[in-house]
Amino acid sequence: MGVVAVYPGTFDPPTKGHLDVIRRGARLFERLIVAVAINPEKEPLFSEDERLTMLRQLTKGIHNVEVASFRGLTVDFCRKRGASVILRGIRTFSDFEYEFQMALTNRVLAPDVETLFVMPSEEFSYLSSSMVKEAVALGGDLSRFVPEVVLKCLKRKLGQG
Ligand code: COA
């Protein structure tokens, strides 16, 4: 039986950088579950449903990718879904410390779940969802970094579309 992996994140909104990680993960694992983390302490711009819909549109051509949301611990979600791997992307050296802490904490919580990292393409290495939201809100063109469906949702949300 092949390996099932979970790619957790906030995805507020998903960018081409996230899609790059998803595509790499889909090639590596039998099944990849893109998991939208619902954190009651965060106030995302996009609702849970909006993030799920955007991610489903973006991944509809990738047969072994599923999109879901979860509350609580990522490792509990992994166990519930039979996943033995947490997939994360490392963009720059500055991501490393946070990812290192998170991977080791998750290992304490669930020694049977392994965190694996991929490097997204360098053209997306400095990209973040906050920067995308800020630039689009101020009228900047970031279509290079944001999939068309997301850009449309973003403009609508910001009253520009
Ligand atoms: N391309 C572009 N941007 C990327 C990216 C990529 N490949 N990977 C990450 N980013 C950006 C995101 O857009 C986001 O930008 P923002 O801060 O401007 O919004 C930022 O990097 C953080 O990325 P994200 O993947 O959303 O991570 P996160 O830190 O919000 O999510 C969780 C972390 C959800 C995985 C983590 O909080 C978690 O596991 N939560 C569940 C609770 C839990 O288990 N806690 C214990 C963990 S030890």
Side-chain angles (χ1 to χ4, degrees), residues 10 15 17-18 21 37 42 72-74 88 91 98 127-130:
T10 309
T15 65
H18 292 121
V21 171
K42 279 196 182 172
L73 292 175
T74 298
R88 293 286 290 169
R91 293 162 298 168
Y98 173 60
L127 191 57
S128 79
S129 297
S130 316

